[in-house]
Structures are given as C-alpha cells and as structure tokens.
C-alpha cells in the first residue's frame, strides 16, 4: 500500500508539471513583454526630448540670423558677431547633436571609423568656435564702453572680417588636424577603435587635454573675465560721475530757489523799466 500511494503521488506530480511549466512560461513572457514596452516607451521619450532640443537650437538660432538680416538698424558690428555665433550653434545642433542622439538611441556607433573622426572633429571645432565668438564679443563690448569715441576707428569692417576669419579658421588646429593625425589619443585607443568600429569614444591623452583646454576654454575664459571686469569698473565710474553731476545740478537748483524765495514779492511784481 505504501508503494502504491507513493506511485500515485508521483503520477499526480508529473501531471501537474506541464501546467506549472506553462504558468512559469506565461509569467516570463508577460514580464519580457512588459520590459520591452517599457524600453520602447523610454526610447521614444528620449528621442522626442533630443529631437525637440535639436529643433529648438536650429530654429532659435535661425530666428536670430533672420532678425539681423531683415532689420537694417540691427546691422551693427556687434550683431555680426552674434549672427556668426548663431551660425556656429546651428552647426553644433546639426552635425554634433544629431550624431550624439543616434548613439544615445541605438546604444552604439553606426557610421564607421572615418565618420567617428569626423564627428569628434566637428564637435571640437564648433564648440571652440562658439567660445571664441564669446571672447570676441567681450572685446567688442570693452571698446564700445571703455573707449566709445575711438570705437568706430578701432572696430572697422576690415578688423571685423579679420577677427571672424581667425575665429573660424584657428580651431582647425585643435580639431581636424590632431584628430585625423591620431595625435589626440594613445596608440592603444586607436587600436581598440580599429577592432571595434561600432564604438566611438573620444579618449584623449594628457598633452592634448592640456593644450585643447587652454586654447578652447581657459585662455578665452580669462580674456572674457578681464574684459567684463574692466567694463564693470568703467560702468561703475560712469555711474558715480552721473550721480555727482545730478547732485550738483540739484544743489544748484535748490540754491536758485532759495535765492528766489528771499526776494520780496512786491519787488518781483514790479514792472521792468524801459530804456529809451
């Protein structure tokens, strides 16, 4: 009897196995489908946010360019720097942010070894161009506020063209040349990139990191800080001067009123004598 009972229990357990397997498989499929839906929704949301940022960068900077080009009163030297800066930011959104969005959405690099160098070069190039534009705008504002009388003689159209040419051409020394020559990173990283074409990581060596950060950030940043500090000092000096002038004017007006109030009213009402 004991043997028969254990045999029946084993048979019952074996008959229950398919239902348990089906239940476990169903639960796994449900959880897998849930994770897939969650991943798709997260990817869609991320793509929407990135696309919205890129479109805002494109159309926002395009509005700046169109506004200056359409209104003649806005065509001053400072605004030409602003237009050039807007163009650089548009190119950042078009060539740098789009590739970055593809990497974030797909999880890997899709365009090969050569285009990885192109993307890194464009990213460094346009970022440096934008920072140099900000530096030029600070220098322009310095001369316009600190030396307003000499400003038309200093900031001429020739000097404007020279500054813009330097701003757009000089960053190639820190972007395309060292990146395509392989000077920006180590040999191990270059070998890793050749064996892994679906990976695009911008890993730099110490020498390139120091030189690039100085040219693209520290030197323009120090110049901007110095220029705006001098602008602040000059603006504070002019404000003090205007305050003193207004104070003197108010004092003179008060003295005149006091002197006028001391004159008797009968003397003030006398008619003026005519001379013949």
């Amino acid at each position: 009897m004991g043997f028969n009972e254990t045999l029946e229990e084993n048979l019952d357990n074996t008959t229950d196995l398919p239902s348990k397997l089906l239940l476990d498989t169903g639960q796994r499929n449900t959880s897998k489908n849930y994770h897939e839906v969650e991943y798709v929704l997260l990817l869609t949301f991320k793509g929407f946010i990135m696309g919205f940022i890129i479109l805002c960068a494109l159309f926002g900077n395009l509005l700046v360019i169109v506004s200056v080009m359409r209104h003649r009163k806005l065509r001053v030297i400072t605004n030409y720097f602003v237009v050039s800066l807007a163009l650089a930011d548009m190119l950042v959104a078009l060539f740098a942010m789009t590739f970055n969005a593809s990497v974030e959405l797909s999880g890997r690099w899709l365009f090969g070894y050569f285009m990885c160098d192109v993307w890194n070069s464009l990213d460094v190039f346009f970022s440096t161009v934008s920072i140099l534009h900000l530096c030029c705008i600070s220098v322009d504002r310095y001369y316009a506020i600190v030396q307003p009388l000499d400003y038309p003689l200093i900031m001429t159209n020739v000097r404007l063209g020279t500054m813009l040419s330097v701003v757009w051409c000089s960053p190639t020394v820190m972007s395309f040349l060292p990146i395509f020559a392989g000077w920006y990173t180590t040999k191990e990283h270059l070998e890793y990139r050749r064996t892994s074409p679906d990976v695009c990581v911008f890993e730099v060596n110490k020498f390139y990191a120091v030189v690039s950060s100085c040219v693209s950030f520290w030197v323009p940043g120090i110049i901007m800080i110095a220029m705006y500090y001098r602008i602040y000092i000059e603006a504070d000096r002019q404000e003090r001067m205007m305050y003193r002038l207004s104070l003197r004017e108010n004092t003179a007006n008060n003295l005149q009123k006091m002197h006028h109030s001391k004159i008797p009213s009968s003397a003030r009402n006398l008619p003026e004598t005519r001379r013949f």
Side-chain angles (χ1 to χ4, degrees), residues 128-148:
T128 308
V129 168
S130 297
I131 295 172
L132 292 179
H133 273 93
L134 296 175
C135 183
C136 290
I137 291 173
S138 67
V139 173
D140 175 76
R141 291 296 84 202
Y142 168 77
Y143 285 113
I145 295 174
V146 177
Q147 301 180 16

Side-chain angles (χ1 to χ4, degrees), residues 57-99:
L58 287 173
F59 288 104
N61 290 292
L62 184 62
L63 284 175
V64 174
I65 297 173
V66 172
S67 299
V68 176
M69 292 296 104
R70 285 182 60 87
H71 299 281
R72 189 177 297 273
K73 293 182 180 180
L74 296 177
R75 298 178 192 174
V76 295
I77 290 179
T78 304
N79 287 338
Y80 282 112
F81 286 114
V82 175
V83 168
S84 185
L85 174 62
L87 178 61
D89 291 340
M90 279 185 61
L91 294 176
V92 169
L94 192 62
F95 292 107
M97 296 173 68
T98 50
F99 285 113

